[in-house]
Amino acid sequence: MRKYGIFLFVFLALIAGCSSSSENKEKQKENHTMTGFWQGKIEIPNQSLAIELDIKGVKDLTGTISIPVQGLVNYPLSTIELTEGQHIVFTMNMQNQLISFAGEIKGDAISGTFTQNGQSFPFQLTKNDKKVVKQEEGNFLEVKTDTGTLFAELESPEGDGPFPIMIIIPGSGPTDRNGNSIGFSGKNDSLKRLAENLAKKGIASIRYDKRGVGKNQQAVINESKLRFEEFVHDASLWIDKLQSDKRFSKIGIIGHSQGSLIGMIVAAEQNIDVFVSIAGAGRTIDKVMYDQLSEQLTDAALEEVQRILSKLRKGETVNQVRDELQAILRPSIQPFLSSWIQYEPTQIIKTLTIPILIVHGEHDIQVSVSEADALAEANLDATKFIVGRMNHVLKEAPADRDQNIQTYTNPDLPLAPGLTEGIIDFLRQVEFINDSTNGK
């Protein structure tokens, strides 16, 4: 298996069972020892990930989990199971990804194992008296949807404007507006750094958490009801919002990874000025997914993957899925995957008549440079820009897989040299920015 489980463009999760409960007094006593506020950390490679747990209840325990550094605040736990012998298991199912904890309670401390997508790391928690709530800083815009309010952080240049503005669309999974994926893939702040770099060159931007993450966690949609079109609709709402805002002169899209496909679909439907794809796939997700799984699964499992993907391409679903494939092809996520598979990136990008920049990293170990080649070949008016030594999280990294992965959890690393400059040069060439907008 690949390290850290971060190489799929799909939402990875397991189905968690229901927590057990008991009416007897002894059980209530055990539950009472768990209620309260807990703080601790997960010891992931190269980084300690701070976590907070707030548990309530007597007969039946409920609780929330926070991962402050990744923008996750008071997210509801899916299950909490306390068994005799002071053993506890709690899980969180968020945007199609399961994170689980199994540990032993010793007084006011819990220690155990954190698991996500088959990978495990130690964690520790200590019970504290009270929870300190920090107010989130930043300038946020909002739009209303049928399933909750969405927020986006605005990054503006210095000066009066009006400024050209880019909508930065994040990649797949439970990814926040800064480019960080909730869980042990850690914090890299790639999209935050990109926004800050653009602002220094006179370009405003908004970037937003995926539904179920950060400030948009309250707008989560149950995975069985989620469809790819929901993400496209979210991006469209932000365009509508910005078009009526006189602070901005032109509107463009930067889509990273899965956000590339979302961005090009929106660009084909909405009136925008420029589209930038970063690390986007040129093939349908089922083909990309199969290639990635072929390096990880047995031949028998791959045969089943192919059979299920074939059904999903036809809009059909499969109820019986072997255990080892539940994380990626369980029945509840199949409708979403089926909706995603229907979109052919090369067919969509060829319809765009606006300026297009296709950016890819030479050392991207998640998405091959051949995907950028396919997109560029589909629209000969597009400009292709390969950034030397850049990886999937936009950092300079060696080709060696282990060393490459280490950059995924280092937010202090700058963006790969040449990335910002290449984007700015392109935007100046297509007159998205000019000297009057501070694009220096």
Side-chain angles (χ1 to χ4, degrees):
M1 292 286 290
R2 287 184 174 183
K3 270 189 152 184
Y4 313 142
I6 54 179
F7 304 110
L8 293 179
F9 281 77
V10 297
F11 302 106
L12 307 177
L14 300 171
I15 297 299
C18 296
S19 60
S20 60
S21 61
S22 173
E23 299 294 332
N24 62 65
K25 294 181 180 180
E26 186 62 30
K27 188 66 175 179
Q28 293 181 23
K29 180 180 178 181
E30 290 179 358
N31 285 356
H32 181 70
T33 65
M34 275 302 302
T35 58
F37 182 63
W38 301 73
Q39 288 180 305
K41 59 185 178 180
I42 306 168
E43 296 293 351
I44 64 174
N46 307 311
Q47 182 183 355
S48 293
L49 194 65
I51 56 174
E52 300 172 354
L53 204 65
D54 194 5
I55 297 181
K56 299 180 174 64
V58 179
K59 291 191 298 182
D60 297 307
L61 293 175
T62 62
T64 61
I65 188 169
S66 299
I67 308 178
V69 75
Q70 294 184 331
L72 189 75
V73 181
N74 296 332
Y75 193 87
L77 293 171
S78 301
T79 64
I80 305 176
E81 183 175 357
L82 186 64
T83 63
E84 294 182 6
Q86 297 299 290
H87 181 74
I88 186 170
V89 177
F90 53 96
T91 67
M92 53 184 291
N93 246 323
M94 59 174 301
Q95 207 183 40
N96 314 311
Q97 192 170 84
L98 177 86
I99 297 175
S100 67
F101 300 77
E104 297 294 329
I105 307 168
K106 294 182 179 180
D108 287 340
I110 303 174
S111 61
T113 302
F114 159 87
T115 302
Q116 182 184 16
N117 191 30
Q119 301 294 316
S120 299
F121 304 98
F123 79 90
Q124 302 86 35
L125 288 166
T126 302
K127 196 172 186 179
N128 291 324
D129 291 334
K130 63 180 181 177
K131 179 178 181 180
V132 178
V133 179
K134 296 181 180 180
Q135 295 295 322
E136 189 169 11
E137 299 180 356
N139 185 5
F140 291 92
L141 306 180
E142 63 181 74
V143 293
K144 303 292 185 180
T145 78
D146 293 338
T147 51
T149 301
L150 296 179
F151 296 88
E153 184 168 1
L154 172 64
E155 195 81 38
S156 291
E158 295 181 359
D160 298 327
F163 301 107
I165 188 167
M166 303 296 290
I167 301 171
I168 301 177
I169 305 176
S172 63
T175 304
D176 70 12
R177 63 186 180 274
N178 296 328
N180 307 318
S181 184
I182 299 300
F184 58 77
S185 58
K187 179 179 180 182
N188 58 75
D189 280 350
S190 56
L191 300 185
K192 178 182 179 182
R193 283 185 171 273
L194 179 59
E196 292 171 344
N197 287 358
L198 292 175
K200 293 175 183 178
K201 298 297 182 179
I203 303 172
S205 66
I206 61 168
R207 62 191 195 278
Y208 55 94
D209 303 314
K210 298 286 286 292
R211 286 175 176 267
V213 178
K215 287 185 72 68
N216 292 333
Q217 60 185 284
Q218 83 293 334
V220 66
I221 298 176
N222 185 283
E223 71 173 22
S224 64
K225 298 180 180 179
L226 182 65
R227 301 295 183 270
F228 193 79
E229 289 77 14
E230 197 70 47
F231 295 149
V232 176
H233 181 61
D234 290 346
S236 294
L237 289 176
W238 289 117
I239 293 176
D240 294 339
K241 176 82 171 181
L242 296 178
Q243 285 176 337
S244 61
D245 195 324
K246 295 183 179 180
R247 292 177 294 176
F248 310 117
S249 56
K250 296 181 179 181
I251 300 174
I253 290 176
I254 296 177
H256 177 251
S257 191
Q258 183 196 69
S260 168
L261 177 57
I262 296 169
M264 71 176 70
I265 295 172
V266 175
E269 298 174 348
Q270 292 268 46
N271 182 24
I272 65 168
D273 298 288
V274 67
F275 170 62
V276 178
S277 167
I278 303 180
R283 297 174 297 159
T284 54
I285 189 58
D286 57 321
K287 295 176 182 177
V288 176
M289 182 177 172
Y290 183 83
D291 283 354
Q292 294 175 334
L293 291 173
S294 65
E295 300 180 14
Q296 307 175 43
L297 300 177
T298 63
D299 290 342
L302 277 175
E303 288 182 9
E304 182 166 343
V305 167
Q306 185 63 20
R307 178 179 65 85
I308 296 174
L309 292 178
S310 178
K311 291 284 189 180
L312 297 182
R313 280 192 291 270
K314 299 174 184 178
E316 303 172 2
T317 57
V318 178
N319 291 328
Q320 298 299 321
V321 179
R322 64 168 64 199
D323 290 344
E324 63 187 297
L325 299 180
Q326 284 289 329
I328 53 178
L329 291 171
R330 65 199 175 282
S332 58
I333 193 60
Q334 289 179 22
F336 172 79
L337 290 175
S338 180
S339 68
W340 187 358
I341 289 171
Q342 307 311 314
Y343 292 96
E344 176 76 58
T346 54
Q347 295 300 314
I348 298 168
I349 201 169
K350 69 170 51 175
T351 68
L352 301 186
T353 57
I354 58 175
I356 302 169
L357 178 64
I358 299 168
V359 182
H360 217 93
E362 181 185 32
H363 288 172
D364 191 328
I365 56 176
Q366 293 185 233
V367 185
S368 169
V369 173
S370 63
E371 303 291 339
D373 295 337
L375 291 175
E377 290 170 5
N379 191 319
L380 298 180
D381 292 328
T383 299
K384 184 173 68 173
F385 174 40
I386 306 300
V387 183
R389 295 180 59 81
M390 187 176 81
N391 68 2
H392 194 69
V393 295
L394 315 185
K395 305 298 179 74
E396 183 176 25
D400 176 77
R401 184 175 301 278
D402 290 344
Q403 295 179 49
N404 193 304
I405 289 170
Q406 290 179 13
T407 68
Y408 282 63
T409 57
N410 189 345
D412 296 328
L413 289 176
L415 297 183
L419 172 62
T420 303
E421 294 79 3
I423 293 174
I424 294 299
D425 287 346
F426 172 79
L427 296 179
R428 183 179 288 113
Q429 290 171 15
V430 300
E431 299 183 345
F432 185 77
I433 59 174
N434 50 53
D435 292 338
S436 65
T437 59
N438 245 358
K440 45 193 173 181

